[in-house]
């Protein structure tokens, strides 16, 4: 993440061991085996790739939601065909990723048959990064876009009350001869997870990121979390993107708007229950026969022009390193995870 420091020191834990440890935590707190396996793989992948704001730091939040009864760790999603290229998925108050994966095979058939398809997921708790959802599509030769809304913690530009969530969007495209190009970014100045990490570690946040409870600019993460709010990135332009994501991920799917998320009766809950939209396109339907080469060419142009790093490259480099050397986890964090697993 842009702000949180990725831990590079600590006990190196092999990826498979981290997945197994997280799986035990989910199972111990009431999920089905399938849900535990999916969430453990997803969360360990975030930690592996250095997506620190959505790695193991989030495990107490997942547990809080499960323990408080806010989320159903055993939910059975339902998948409904709303047209030849439109799937509607009701996650039934469960986590989003198991609902998404339950529909994914049929969704891929729709994309192949029609050149494009939409998946609209509702009643779903997404508490992770989005890149794990979209990167695999690009590895299968497809272009993928996804949008999620979260919970009200972002004020519209010039506004006083939080209306939007941090509302991430992700884009993935195949690239000839290389890994997919994937960007995955919040519509806010920074992710709420990074604000929480800053508060925990006693760092200020960058000027212009957020406001306190009186609407005054602040660099104190605790003031943002305690009645304040984040700002959209890029002023009114980020505000419009946050708006679009509320429309696509909530109004269109039937999920809740970020400002409708009300977990006040579930102390400890942290996973917003909203919606997620996917739009996946088969780029071969463009008829150029050279799509992935063209994208590789564009990346070449961007790099020649002076951009030293494409989105996704940092993650891939860290993935290669941690798969070889293990994922460094601070001893206190590892102890906390083992305690949650009942080890
Ligand atoms: P960042 O600002 O850290 O990164 C955004 C994107 O920009 C990433 O693809 C990143 O690539 C890329 N990037 C970062 N720095 C550079 C650079 N110098 N040059 C080129 N590319 C760069 O992300 P955010 O803080 O906005 O979001 C962090 C995570 O939080 C995301 O994964 C998001 O999905 C998640 N999130 C989830 C929410 C939810 O409701 N589930 C809500 C809000 C956020 P790379 O990854 O390779 O560094
Ligand atoms: O980091 O902004 C965030 C976030 C919200 C929900 C999940 N992550």
């Amino acid at each position: 993440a842009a702000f949180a420091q990725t831990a590079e020191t600590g006990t190196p834990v092999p990826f498979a061991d981290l997945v197994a440890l997280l799986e035990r935590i989910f199972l111990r707190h009431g999920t089905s085996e399938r849900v535990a396996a999916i969430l453990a793989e997803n969360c360990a992948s975030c930690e592996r790739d250095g997506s620190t704001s959505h790695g193991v730091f989030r495990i107490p939040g997942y547990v809080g939601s499960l323990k408080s009864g806010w989320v159903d760790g055993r939910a059975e999603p339902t998948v409904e065909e709303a047209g030849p290229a439109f799937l509607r998925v009701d996650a039934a108050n469960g986590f989003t990723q198991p609902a998404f994966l339950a529909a994914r095979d049929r969704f891929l058939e729709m994309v192949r048959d029609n050149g494009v398809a939409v998946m609209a997921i509702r009643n779903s708790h997404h508490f992770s990064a989005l890149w794990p959802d979209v990167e695999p599509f690009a590895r299968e030769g497809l272009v993928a876009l996804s949008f999620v809304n979260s919970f009200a913690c972002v004020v519209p530009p010039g506004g006083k009350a939080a209306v939007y969530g941090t509302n991430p969007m992700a884009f993935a495209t195949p690239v000839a001869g290389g890994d997919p190009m994937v960007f995955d970014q919040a519509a806010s100045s920074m992710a709420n997870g990074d604000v929480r990490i800053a508060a925990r570690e006693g760092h200020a946040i960058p000027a212009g990121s957020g406001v306190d409870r009186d609407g005054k600019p602040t660099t104190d993460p605790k003031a943002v979390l305690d009645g304040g709010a984040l700002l959209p990135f890029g002023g009114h332009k980020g505000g419009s993107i946050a708006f679009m994501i509320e429309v696509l991920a909530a109004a269109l799917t039937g999920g809740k708007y970020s400002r409708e998320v009300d977990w006040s009766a579930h102390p400890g809950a942290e996973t917003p229950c909203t919606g997620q939209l996917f739009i996946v396109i088969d780029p071969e339907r463009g008829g150029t026969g050279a799509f992935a080469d063209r994208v590789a060419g564009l990346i070449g142009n961007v790099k020649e022009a002076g951009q030293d790093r494409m989105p996704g490259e940092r993650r891939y480099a860290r993935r290669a390193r941690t798969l070889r050397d293990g994922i460094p986890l601070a001893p206190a964090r590892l102890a906390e995870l083992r305690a949650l697993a009942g080890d």
Side-chain angles (χ1 to χ4, degrees), residues 79 81 84-87 100-119 133-134 136-144 278 280-282 285:
V79 181
E81 303 207 1
F86 201 125
L87 277 185
F100 162 57
L101 291 174
R104 195 177 185 278
D105 286 352
R106 178 66 191 119
F107 186 55
L108 272 177
E109 285 173 5
M110 287 179 156
V111 177
R112 300 286 183 206
D113 288 350
N114 299 286
V116 60
V118 170
M119 191 195 306
D133 304 343
V134 296
F137 286 117
R139 293 197 182 277
E140 293 168 79
L142 302 169
V143 172
F278 286 88
V280 176
I281 304 165
D282 179 357
R285 298 297 185 108

Side-chain angles (χ1 to χ4, degrees), residues 1-2 53-54 126-131 148-150 166-168 182-186 188 190-191 194 272 307 309-315:
S53 62
H54 291 81
H126 201 302
F127 202 47
S128 182
L130 267 63
W131 64 259
V148 171
N149 65 316
S150 59
T166 41
N167 294 10
V182 179
F183 76 73
D184 171 16
Q185 61 192 43
S188 47
M190 55 195 295
D194 280 334
Q307 181 166 335
R309 163 184 165 194
M310 293 302 291
E313 287 180 358
R314 176 200 63 85
R315 282 194 306 102

Side-chain angles (χ1 to χ4, degrees), residues 3 57 190 192-205 219-226:
F3 187 74
F57 157 72
M190 55 195 295
N192 180 266
D194 280 334
V195 183
R196 293 181 48 192
I197 290 173
R200 187 186 69 192
E201 296 182 354
H203 300 301
I205 58 172
T219 58
D220 177 357
K222 291 186 178 146
V224 169
L225 296 172
D226 181 18

Side-chain angles (χ1 to χ4, degrees), residues 221-240:
K222 291 186 178 146
V224 169
L225 296 172
D226 181 18
L230 285 166
L231 293 163
F233 78 89
H236 63 279
K237 298 186 186 183
S240 300

Side-chain angles (χ1 to χ4, degrees), residues 207-222:
S209 303
V211 292
D212 65 16
R213 58 169 58 244
D214 300 319
K216 296 208 182 75
T218 182
T219 58
D220 177 357
K222 291 186 178 146

Side-chain angles (χ1 to χ4, degrees), residues 7-8 21 70 74 88 92 94 118 129 152 179 190 211 229 268 286-287 332:
E8 292 297 348
L21 173 60
W70 167 244
R74 300 179 164 276
R88 281 201 290 252
V118 170
D179 284 314
M190 55 195 295
V211 292

Side-chain angles (χ1 to χ4, degrees), residues 150-162:
S150 59
F151 66 99
C153 58
V154 176
V155 281
K160 290 190 174 54

